[in-house]
Amino acid sequence: MGATYFLPRLIGTARACELFFTGRVFDAAEAERLGIVNRVAARDSFEAAVAALAREVAARGLSRVW
């Protein structure tokens, strides 16, 4: 829910309409290219990628983000 609101703001109206109207299925690499996801990791390295991202976020702290 909310895809019709958020997706055009993420990828632009034309691309969002194309996806909505065609119902085309796309893979993770295309989702990353479109900016729908930040990064893609292979299934076998997913846990390591999540742990690395968590360590990076924890090392920086929220005070630097805001």
Side-chain angles (χ1 to χ4, degrees):
M1 305 317 242
T4 56
Y5 178 82
F6 289 110
L7 193 61
R9 286 157 178 77
L10 286 173
I11 66 172
T13 302
R15 284 192 175 133
C17 284
E18 178 184 345
L19 294 177
F20 290 143
F21 297 149
T22 64
R24 184 171 56 83
V25 177
F26 51 91
D27 62 9
E30 186 171 4
E32 183 178 33
R33 184 182 63 78
L34 290 171
I36 297 171
V37 298
N38 292 337
R39 59 183 81 184
V40 174
R43 185 180 301 243
D44 60 340
S45 63
F46 178 75
E47 297 284 334
V50 170
L53 179 59
R55 281 192 300 276
E56 182 180 347
V57 170
R60 303 256 184 318
L62 286 178
S63 62
R64 298 176 110 184
V65 175
W66 306 109

